[in-house]
Every structure is written in C-alpha cells, then in structure tokens.
Amino acid sequence: QVQLVESGGGLVQAGGSLRLSCAVSGRTTSTYARGWFRQGPGKEREFVAAIKWSGGPTYYADSVKGRFTISRDNAKNTVALQMNSLKPEDTAVYYCAARGPGPDWDRGFGYDYWGQGTQVTVSS
C-alpha cells in the first residue's frame, strides 16, 4: 500500500553533486518518518539520513554529515537527498525508505517500506 520510487542517480566526478528524489504513493498517511540508506559494493546496507515527516530535526550518518542534506516536500509527497562534495566511497545503490511511528527512526531502525534503489557512482 506504500510505494517509493527513487530517481536522480548517475555518474559524477569526485567533488561533484547529485540530488536524489523519492516519490511516495499509496497510504502515505501511515508513514511517520522517511530515510535514505545505501549499499556499496561488498558492503552492508547502511543508514545515511532520516527526517520526520511532520518536521523537526534531521539526522545523518557521521560519514555524510556536512555534505548531505535531507529535505521533504509534503505537498509533493517527496523526500530528497542533496549530496555535495561527493567522494568515491559514496558509490552505492541508494534506497529511500519509510516507516510508521516508533523509536529509533532517527538511527535508521524500523523502516518497513523500501524503494528499489538508484545507482550513484563517484569517479576519482
């Protein structure tokens, strides 16, 4: 009942920028928080950023803090991830996710709905 579709991935040189977008459809009223995750080659899926849908503070993994910015547009029912100063280690498939109310949403836990991902490749 909740679908998420990511877009905006691509190939970029180190130091460049990309903006990812996630469109959410279905029973969007059941989503309490939105988040971005990524999985690089040979790595586990990791938490990148999260935002409460009603507003408030945002949270980031230490590896992207200061470079990435998560934002929301409730009118368009989208969540974006602005990625600046990209590094080769940022290369990964990026996933948009959502979850209902509960603890630890700001640490990347409890996300129930997932998109299929968009590839981001950063060349050196």
Side-chain angles (χ1 to χ4, degrees):
Q1 293 297 308
V2 178
Q3 294 181 323
L4 303 93
V5 180
E6 305 94 335
S7 63
L11 175 65
V12 64
Q13 289 185 315
S17 299
L18 281 175
R19 183 178 177 86
L20 306 182
S21 182
C22 174
V24 185
S25 61
R27 298 205 298 177
T28 58
T29 54
S30 66
T31 61
Y32 177 79
R34 309 287 173 86
W36 286 96
F37 298 76
R38 68 185 182 185
Q39 186 169 18
K43 299 180 180 180
E44 298 290 327
R45 183 175 296 181
E46 64 176 337
F47 166 73
V48 175
I51 187 169
K52 191 177 180 181
W53 197 238
S54 62
T58 55
Y59 297 89
Y60 301 91
D62 289 340
S63 59
V64 306
K65 192 174 297 182
R67 298 188 298 119
F68 291 10
T69 303
I70 187 171
S71 62
R72 66 194 182 281
D73 188 332
N74 296 72
K76 296 181 179 179
N77 212 355
T78 60
V79 59
L81 184 69
Q82 178 66 44
M83 305 183 294
N84 299 326
S85 301
L86 284 162
K87 305 174 181 179
E89 50 263 45
D90 294 319
T91 295
V93 177
Y94 283 72
Y95 297 90
C96 180
R99 60 162 289 173
D104 301 321
W105 63 269
D106 54 332
R107 298 193 296 122
F109 292 97
Y111 285 80
D112 303 310
Y113 311 106
W114 296 83
Q116 60 184 357
T118 185
Q119 177 70 48
V120 172
T121 302
V122 184
S123 64
S124 59

